[in-house]
Amino acid sequence: DRSQHEFVQTFPGYYSKRVTAWRIGKGREMYAKHKELLNSLSHKYGVPAHYLVAFWGLETNFGGYKGKMNVLNSLATLACDERRSSYFSKELVTAVKLLERESLDQTKMVGSWAGAMGHTQFMPSAYMNYAIDGDGDGQINLWDSEEDALASAANFLSQLGWQPGFRWGREIQLPDNFDYRETGYKNRRSITEWNESGIKKADGSALGNSDEKGYVVVPAGHNGPAFIAYHNFRIIMRWNNSEFYAIAVGKLADQIAGEAGIDKALPELPAYTRDDILRLQTALNASGYDVGKPDGIIGPATRAGIREYQLASNLIADGFPGLDVMKAIGVLPNEPKESDGNKESE
């Protein structure tokens, strides 16, 4: 895990590799294959079928790639690493308990380098606490049973707090005078309030009126698409704490169900390296915009520093390290080839 790609992946690079025509088509095929089961799970747990299929598709390509490393070996190795020894020691013990409880074949317990397992890439603790028997054979096997995996995903999302009857969010149009300081989870407002501020649906129609709260997400800066995220967006992020992942799940689910893809074209952006972001952070600090100790990671402090720099430089203050910011502050990226970067679910 110390040899992962050192790229800071952009949203266009991430999204275009995950929400593909193949994955949409395969998702519809798997939806049809498991229609009866999926409908029963949706009725019982309140999670729409197309979301369950979308999670499955993003995690393992519908079971096409579930990992190839021995889970017990991976967890034992990570348990010996002092950085996260306590966490992985517990996951190792849980995996051994699962081996016994479910009469699993140890040689078939393969997964990611971090110990994520099966069609849905559950860590052992999630497997132990949320996985259920979907095919009624008396065993919970997330490798061999697609039914177990889908039922477990539905139960997991329900237990995390999925709100039945509501979307994940939607793409929106922002007014020309939108203040990008109003983006982010801390700026949640009712749909009615956002509607009154001039935000519209992607097709230009009114956002509507509702007490449901949401917040604006702009994953690729002001030149890219904008989204409004609702409660279930945050539930998706509890599966995988990444806004990129949550948008990909939501849009893949939408398109499996027959909706359109992203309306606004994705901007062309290089995949910044960690060194690019380190130099940006160093330059911001040197210019009086405190972003903390440079670490090569774009977090809240870095975004805040970028936003303050943009305000002072008469740039659109979206807090995004676009090429305009990089050039203005004197940090030009090396523009490496786009990379998948770290897999967030691991």
Side-chain angles (χ1 to χ4, degrees), residues 160-180:
L160 289 178
W162 187 272
Q163 192 173 35
F166 288 87
R167 301 174 59 91
W168 66 274
R170 64 169 71 249
E171 187 182 0
I172 54 176
Q173 288 184 15
L174 298 175
D176 292 338
N177 62 347
F178 183 76
D179 185 349
Y180 285 87

Side-chain angles (χ1 to χ4, degrees), residues 49-315:
H50 49 289
Y51 286 94
L52 299 175
V53 176
F55 276 103
W56 185 18
L58 284 179
E59 289 299 330
T60 61
N61 265 348
F62 311 101
Y65 185 76
K66 297 189 283 287
K68 59 184 179 181
M69 303 189 74
N70 182 282
V71 166
L72 295 181
N73 287 349
S74 294
L75 293 171
T77 300
L78 290 166
C80 292
D81 187 331
E82 63 182 12
R83 292 175 303 156
R84 294 172 288 178
S85 178
S86 178
Y87 170 74
F88 282 108
S89 293
K90 292 177 182 177
E91 292 293 335
L92 172 61
V93 172
T94 301
V96 173
K97 291 180 179 178
L98 283 168
L99 174 68
E100 180 178 9
R101 190 189 78 178
E102 302 299 334
S103 300
L104 298 171
D105 182 344
Q106 180 180 338
T107 63
K108 295 182 178 180
M109 290 179 68
V110 294
S112 75
W113 60 264
M117 303 179 286
H119 283 274
T120 47
Q121 292 294 278
F122 277 13
M123 290 298 289
S125 55
Y127 197 143
M128 178 67 76
N129 295 324
Y130 302 107
I132 58 177
D133 182 5
D135 56 17
D137 68 352
Q139 182 191 45
I140 305 173
N141 189 319
L142 298 186
W143 288 273
D144 297 335
S145 174
E146 295 177 356
E147 293 82 1
D148 285 1
L150 291 169
S152 298
N155 183 53
F156 185 34
L157 291 165
S158 176
Q159 293 295 323
L160 289 178
W162 187 272
Q163 192 173 35
F166 288 87
R167 301 174 59 91
W168 66 274
R170 64 169 71 249
E171 187 182 0
I172 54 176
Q173 288 184 15
L174 298 175
D176 292 338
N177 62 347
F178 183 76
D179 185 349
Y180 285 87
R181 287 174 292 184
E182 298 300 313
T183 62
Y185 183 69
K186 293 182 179 179
N187 294 301
R188 298 184 303 282
R189 298 179 187 172
S190 71
I191 303 308
T192 299
E193 290 176 295
W194 286 123
N195 183 62
E196 292 173 348
S197 74
I199 289 179
K200 299 182 182 299
K201 294 180 181 178
D203 62 5
S205 62
L207 190 60
N209 296 306
S210 170
D211 292 332
E212 175 77 4
K213 290 188 179 295
Y215 65 99
V216 175
V217 180
V218 186
H222 67 276
N223 288 319
F227 304 89
I228 189 164
Y230 305 142
H231 172 82
N232 285 336
F233 186 85
R234 302 296 293 187
I235 300 304
I236 296 173
M237 288 182 63
R238 291 190 63 187
W239 182 304
N240 183 325
N241 191 27
S242 161
E243 287 188 344
F244 289 7
Y245 178 86
I247 293 171
V249 167
K251 288 305 299 178
L252 179 57
D254 288 347
Q255 291 177 85
I256 288 172
E259 294 188 24
I262 292 178
D263 184 73
K264 188 170 184 178
L266 296 172
E268 293 186 9
L269 294 169
Y272 298 132
T273 65
R274 291 282 294 273
D275 183 61
D276 291 328
I277 303 305
L278 277 168
R279 290 187 292 122
L280 170 63
Q281 292 167 328
T282 300
L284 286 169
N285 282 336
S287 300
Y289 304 95
D290 184 13
V291 299
K293 183 179 179 180
D295 59 4
I297 298 172
I298 304 171
T302 299
R303 291 191 182 279
I306 293 172
R307 186 173 288 112
E308 292 303 314
Y309 175 81
Q310 289 169 323
L311 287 169
S313 305
N314 294 317
L315 298 172

Side-chain angles (χ1 to χ4, degrees), residues 13-51:
Y14 178 95
Y15 185 88
S16 63
K17 287 178 173 61
R18 287 161 177 79
V19 184
T20 62
W22 179 87
R23 204 166 256 161
I24 294 165
K26 187 67 174 181
R28 291 172 179 170
E29 178 186 325
M30 301 310 287
Y31 184 106
K33 175 183 177 181
H34 292 289
K35 184 176 181 179
E36 185 176 346
L37 170 66
L38 288 166
N39 287 340
S40 68
L41 292 173
S42 297
H43 178 74
K44 181 175 181 179
Y45 295 102
V47 183
H50 49 289
Y51 286 94

